[in-house]
Amino acid sequence: MNAVQSGLVVQALLALAAVATGLLSPVSWRSRATGALCALLGVAGIVTGAAALGGANGALTIPLALPIDPLVLSPDRLGGLFMIVVSAVGALVSLFGIGSARGAEASRTSWAAMAVFLGGMQLVPAATDVVSFLLLWEIMTLGSTVLLLADHASRSTVYSAAIWYSAMSQLSFFFVLAGFGVLVAATGGTGFQTLATVPADSWPANLAFVLLLLGFGGKAELVPLHVWVPRVLPEAPSHVAAAMSGAMVKIGVYGALLVCVRLLPSGPPWWGVLILVLGGVSAVYGILQASVASDLKVLLAYSTTENMGLVFLGLGASVLLRSYNATAAADAALVAALLLMVSHAAFKTTLFLGAGAVAHATGELNLDRLGGLGKRMPWTAGTFGLASLGAASLPITSGFVAEWMLLQALIHGARLDGEVVSVAASIAMPLAVAVLALTAGLALLTFVKAYGIAFLARPRSRKASIAREVPWVMRVPLVLGALAVVGLGLMPGPLAAAIAAAVGPVIVPDVHTVGLAGVSLSGIDAVLDPGTLVILAGLVLVPILVIVALGARRHPTRVDPLPWAGGGSRLRPRMQYTATSYAEPLVRVFDDVLRPSRDVEVTHVGESRYLVEKVHVEQTVSDVIETRLYRPVLNAAQRFGLAARRAQDGSIHRYLGYSFAALLVVLIAVSL
């Protein structure tokens, strides 16, 4: 047994052991024991993925008592990369769950489902054929659905979220199944190597590409298949939401890369244009919704849609440029997309775990009712702040490295050796740059709001004012996640080289000096050298820290009440910005896209029409895609169902008439 084969066996055994421990262990040590086993499962996945990424070969064959070929698990380099990412997230959320899971979240069913979820998710990238891929995909979906339903007895909204999640998951599964079915019918085999023999310019390849893109895009939260995200992630337990956003959506990205890099690597230009459109729309729509959200988990959920949109933006640019033989730019865009994927796993896992720590300490996620948590929860505030820097793509984080490289690929990708690559690329690349710039600016505003109002403002509720730091078992994964955000940003060269090796050895030489449009970019080794980044960060941060320290010494905080305040008073929570008021300018600017609804209630003094006692303003921003696309379809289906119920009135004569009519239809069809 080599390292990969042994690692796969260990993962399977640890998953089974975690399931058994979760079902059989007593409540007093169930969370600690099962959480530790799930964390070990993640560590085993990291080791196995690292071996596969390093080029080790190995396969685990699982015979089935069915008239089909046995399942074969054998991750390649690309699968090894995703196994590392997914497993690392799984280890962090498992540790966090030991301290955060309470009540129904720590039940036998929930911990057993956690092991099933993580085990299935880690093994999806190891699948080598359609059957094993779909089986592990459904195991992953089943485990996450059970975890989502943990609190269904205490919150009615959980049940609604589970319905949406199950429906959209099965819709994605249907598209994936149909897409693979087209390729299987065209080749006569189920192995990925066999499916890769389909010509990319044939109609089966085109049809399969569209179906698979819709299926994997639904799991990766692309618009318009994202509607489950703002419902599911806020209702799921915090460590589960972190796993779903930080790891599960990456399986959708893996599926898209499996199609575009492994199965159908030489697609026509319109494939890239389609991916670019879906990615760009998802990025802009996701960050717009995140920028106006007041619920912390809803904000992070929509931010995930934005991040995945940028990943697909890079993938689409790579497919489009490669179709016109702009190989260097295509390679750079592909590596940038994978850098974004890895970066997102680090900072979004930390952000969701930070949101879970806030909920654990305050029982509140509404930003309008938080504030002042920086002094009361310093560990959570520090780690959430570093992750926010990564989400806003600021130096020296991994998010900055990824978006910088994607920006360079998009800017210079439309030209090859001074010549225009194509008309389509010359139009698409500037539009993609505009999307990237807009989302970067809005992301900065979004996370300034999220961090500043939650951690730096004054407490706006009693729960926020008495909050205390979470236990150490919850702080450890927060610190590890924050260190990953900074650490990945300080070593872009080795990280990019490993990613390039995962998608193809021919890309590795182009990582260090990416030649785009005849311009030699010192893309990784010079401009993004770790020492350069540290110096840059020091030049920016040291003067700010010095100014803050001098100001604090010259003007110490006054704790005694002011004898006279010039007609005013000290700053109170009602005087500060709330999340809603902070986002109000954006709501006005993008009113036609967001379609907010406002309810203003004015209470007058006594019988006076002119003296106002108080004004209550309530503003809600719903998901336009859901209200304008899904709701009409669901309403039409409900009306059809109500009309169909009239046909079932209990009349035996009518039922006999239905049977006779069906018989006539069958006879006519047979005769024809």
Side-chain angles (χ1 to χ4, degrees):
M1 252 187 213
N2 58 21
V4 173
Q5 190 175 15
S6 301
L8 292 172
V9 172
V10 171
Q11 287 185 75
L13 293 177
L14 283 173
L16 292 175
V19 171
T21 304
L23 292 175
L24 302 177
S25 59
V27 66
S28 59
W29 51 277
R30 181 187 303 136
S31 294
R32 293 191 294 271
T34 314
L37 285 173
C38 288
L40 289 175
L41 172 62
V43 173
I46 294 173
V47 174
T48 307
L53 183 61
N57 297 318
L60 176 63
T61 303
I62 305 175
L64 299 176
L66 296 172
I68 59 175
D69 295 334
L71 303 182
V72 179
L73 303 179
S74 179
D76 58 4
R77 291 179 182 268
L78 181 62
L81 173 64
F82 277 84
M83 187 177 289
I84 293 173
V85 173
V86 170
S87 301
V89 174
L92 293 181
V93 301
S94 298
L95 288 176
F96 191 87
I98 295 175
S100 68
R102 294 177 291 185
E105 298 174 5
S107 65
R108 288 184 172 89
T109 304
S110 294
W111 273 116
M114 187 70 177
V116 171
F117 173 46
L118 296 179
M121 186 166 54
Q122 289 180 197
L123 292 178
V124 168
T128 60
D129 61 273
V130 173
V131 176
S132 58
F133 185 94
L134 295 178
L135 177 61
L136 293 168
W137 179 284
E138 281 298 276
I139 290 174
M140 173 187 70
T141 302
L142 176 63
S144 58
T145 304
V146 174
L147 287 168
L148 175 61
L149 286 167
D151 291 326
H152 74 281
S154 58
R155 300 202 312 269
S156 59
T157 51
V158 172
Y159 181 76
S160 173
I163 293 295
W164 275 92
Y165 178 63
S166 298
M168 298 308 297
S169 295
Q170 293 311 306
L171 180 63
S172 297
F173 179 77
F174 167 77
F175 283 129
V176 172
L177 178 63
F180 278 137
V182 171
L183 295 179
V184 169
T187 60
T190 60
F192 289 156
Q193 291 184 349
T194 304
L195 301 186
T197 60
V198 176
D201 57 351
S202 62
W203 73 264
N206 290 319
L207 178 59
F209 168 78
V210 173
L211 292 172
L212 291 170
L213 180 61
L214 290 174
F216 293 129
K219 186 62 72 175
E221 305 184 9
L222 293 188
V223 174
L225 299 171
H226 73 291
V227 290
W228 61 273
V229 177
R231 291 176 174 270
V232 170
L233 296 185
E235 299 298 337
S238 297
H239 62 295
V240 176
M244 295 175 78
S245 177
M248 188 184 71
V249 298
K250 307 303 185 296
I251 300 300
V253 177
Y254 171 74
L257 286 167
L258 179 67
V259 174
C260 298
V261 176
R262 292 287 188 260
L263 302 183
L264 305 170
S266 303
W270 70 267
W271 288 13
V273 173
L274 179 59
I275 301 175
L276 274 171
V277 170
L278 289 176
V281 171
S282 301
V284 174
Y285 185 80
I287 197 59
L288 279 178
Q289 289 286 351
S291 64
V292 300
S294 297
D295 186 282
L296 185 55
K297 276 191 175 181
V298 173
L299 182 151
L300 296 178
Y302 275 118
S303 173
T304 300
T305 299
E306 175 248 341
N307 297 130
M308 292 301 99
L310 292 180
V311 171
F312 275 80
L313 193 75
L315 176 60
S318 176
V319 173
L320 177 62
L321 294 172
R322 198 175 302 280
S323 66
Y324 292 114
N325 296 319
T327 306
D331 293 345
L334 184 58
V335 172
L338 286 170
L339 279 171
L340 277 168
M341 183 273 300
V342 175
S343 172
H344 177 263
F347 67 71
K348 193 52 63 69
T349 300
T350 308
L351 288 171
F352 265 105
L353 294 182
V358 171
H360 184 89
T362 66
E364 186 68 63
L365 285 171
N366 187 349
L367 290 171
D368 291 339
R369 296 183 58 80
L370 294 174
L373 299 180
K375 293 182 179 179
R376 294 164 179 82
M377 305 176 65
W379 287 89
T380 301
T383 54
F384 193 95
L386 288 175
S388 297
L389 293 178
S393 301
L394 295 178
I396 51 175
T397 64
S398 56
F400 168 75
V401 174
E403 290 202 16
W404 184 92
M405 189 169 183
L406 178 60
L407 180 65
Q408 295 301 317
L410 295 176
I411 289 176
H412 301 285
R415 303 182 69 85
L416 180 64
D417 297 330
E419 300 294 332
V420 176
V421 173
S422 70
V423 175
S426 62
I427 295 175
M429 294 302 109
L431 292 177
V433 170
V435 167
L436 184 60
L438 177 61
T439 55
L442 291 177
L444 180 59
L445 291 175
T446 299
F447 285 96
V448 167
K449 177 187 77 172
Y451 185 80
I453 293 178
F455 293 94
L456 301 182
R458 291 180 180 269
R460 297 181 180 85
S461 64
R462 183 178 179 276
K463 292 180 178 179
S465 64
I466 62 174
R468 294 293 181 267
E469 188 59 89
V470 294
W472 69 268
V473 73
M474 299 170 65
R475 296 182 214 171
V476 170
L478 283 171
V479 172
L480 292 177
L483 290 176
V485 173
V486 177
L488 292 174
L490 291 177
M491 53 178 188
L495 178 62
I499 288 175
V503 291
V506 296
I507 299 179
V508 176
D510 291 329
V511 171
H512 299 282
T513 302
V514 183
L516 302 176
V519 180
S520 179
L521 300 174
S522 302
I524 298 298
D525 286 335
V527 179
L528 295 182
D529 179 72
T532 305
L533 290 174
V534 173
I535 294 173
L536 176 63
L539 292 175
V540 173
L541 292 177
V542 170
I544 295 176
L545 295 176
V546 170
I547 293 173
V548 171
L550 292 176
R553 289 187 61 184
R554 292 181 180 179
H555 306 285
T557 303
R558 292 178 62 106
V559 295
D560 56 313
L562 290 175
W564 180 73
S569 63
R570 289 192 179 277
L571 185 65
R572 293 177 293 177
R574 288 175 59 86
M575 301 176 182
Q576 301 174 133
Y577 271 106
T578 63
T580 302
S581 60
Y582 183 92
E584 179 63 20
L586 289 175
V587 175
R588 293 185 180 274
V589 171
F590 297 100
D591 183 84
D592 293 335
V593 177
L594 298 172
R595 300 286 183 176
S597 60
R598 299 181 181 90
D599 183 16
V600 180
E601 181 181 347
V602 180
T603 303
H604 295 276
V605 177
E607 301 297 330
S608 174
R609 298 176 53 188
Y610 305 102
L611 299 178
V612 177
E613 181 179 354
K614 64 178 181 179
V615 178
H616 177 76
V617 181
E618 184 174 353
Q619 176 176 282
T620 58
V621 180
S622 59
D623 195 308
V624 179
I625 303 296
E626 179 185 335
T627 56
R628 299 298 180 90
L629 176 61
Y630 286 89
R631 282 298 172 188
V633 174
L634 294 175
N635 292 336
Q638 186 177 21
R639 289 193 298 269
F640 176 79
L642 292 175
R645 290 179 62 182
R646 299 174 184 173
Q648 300 179 357
D649 59 353
S651 173
I652 188 64
H653 301 90
R654 180 170 293 185
Y655 293 161
L656 290 173
Y658 295 155
S659 300
F660 180 70
L663 178 61
L664 288 179
V665 171
V666 171
L667 291 175
I668 293 172
V670 171
S671 63
L672 294 177

